[in-house]
Amino acid sequence: SPHIELRNHGTVTNETEIGRLFANNGAGNYFAGFKFIYKDSNTGEIRIRQKVAGTNTDTVTFVDGNVGIGTTNPVGKLSVYGTGWDGGLLLENSGGGKGRIIVDGDGMKLRTSISGDHFYWRNSANTTNMILEDGGNLGLGTSAPNLGVWANAVTLDGSTSCAYELSKGGTLYGWVGIQGSGSGHALDL
């Protein structure tokens, strides 16, 4: 029958398992539990272990104030390790929205998981400052880019002026801008 066991292995040295709380099916088939590991005189480690695809796997590790998911050596406050789109961080809400953050050999990637979703950058007042639409349109200062019929448009919108600046090394070389308001606005090149 299933049981829970807590034990201590006696002699304590670095990386020694000093306790275990686990469950198995009575025939020695381990399927879930916690491992307590001595790291050095100042820290300890807790690992959550479970059966994943038939293999005992440390799935979550707590050590030195860091949490590792998919790794036993977290190097930041939260370290997530995995492969492909299923190996990253999945964010969901109750309304059905989903998004992922992953890192692979090509760099960091953000992905919406539902067609028609967009990426929004918002300020502390929750006003959209920038939007990247699913179809490729980019809006700066507007939440509704592509007022025309362009493919992959970049729309700049400001209340009194807006400009597209071209610079290199911090030096301004050119710009296109609109100043003023109402019918008295002017296009500057």
Side-chain angles (χ1 to χ4, degrees):
S1 67
H3 69 278
I4 295 177
E5 177 180 332
L6 181 60
R7 62 183 174 172
N8 187 321
H9 291 284
T11 305
V12 177
T13 60
N14 194 32
E15 298 292 328
T16 298
E17 180 180 318
I18 57 173
R20 180 183 288 186
L21 179 64
F22 70 99
N24 67 34
N25 66 1
N29 295 319
Y30 172 87
F31 61 88
F34 295 89
K35 290 170 59 176
F36 304 94
I37 299 170
Y38 177 86
K39 295 295 280 185
D40 56 42
S41 62
N42 296 316
T43 62
E45 180 175 304
I46 299 173
R47 293 184 186 170
I48 297 175
R49 175 171 271 217
Q50 65 189 44
K51 193 102 51 190
V52 176
T55 302
N56 291 335
T57 305
D58 294 325
T59 55
V60 180
T61 300
F62 301 90
V63 63
D64 295 329
N66 298 330
V67 177
I69 299 175
T71 178
T72 58
N73 187 29
V75 294
K77 290 298 177 191
L78 176 62
S79 294
V80 179
Y81 178 82
T83 58
W85 283 107
D86 292 330
L89 185 61
L90 172 64
L91 305 171
E92 298 181 82
N93 71 18
S94 61
K98 294 180 183 180
R100 291 189 182 272
I101 302 172
I102 70 158
V103 177
D104 64 14
D106 296 326
M108 185 168 158
K109 297 177 181 175
L110 304 173
R111 177 182 179 184
T112 60
S113 298
I114 298 174
S115 180
D117 278 356
H118 313 303
F119 289 101
Y120 297 88
W121 287 261
R122 296 184 175 187
N123 63 19
S124 60
N126 202 29
T127 303
T128 299
N129 290 330
M130 185 167 71
I131 181 173
L132 178 59
E133 292 185 332
D134 190 40
N137 296 318
L138 175 64
L140 304 170
T142 179
S143 60
N146 197 6
L147 300 175
V149 293
W150 315 104
N152 300 316
V154 175
T155 304
L156 304 171
D157 189 18
S159 59
T160 58
S161 66
C162 65
Y164 179 72
E165 296 181 340
L166 302 172
S167 66
K168 180 179 177 183
T171 301
L172 181 64
Y173 284 94
W175 59 281
V176 175
I178 298 175
Q179 297 180 6
S181 61
S183 61
H185 59 274
L187 176 63
D188 294 318
L189 302 174

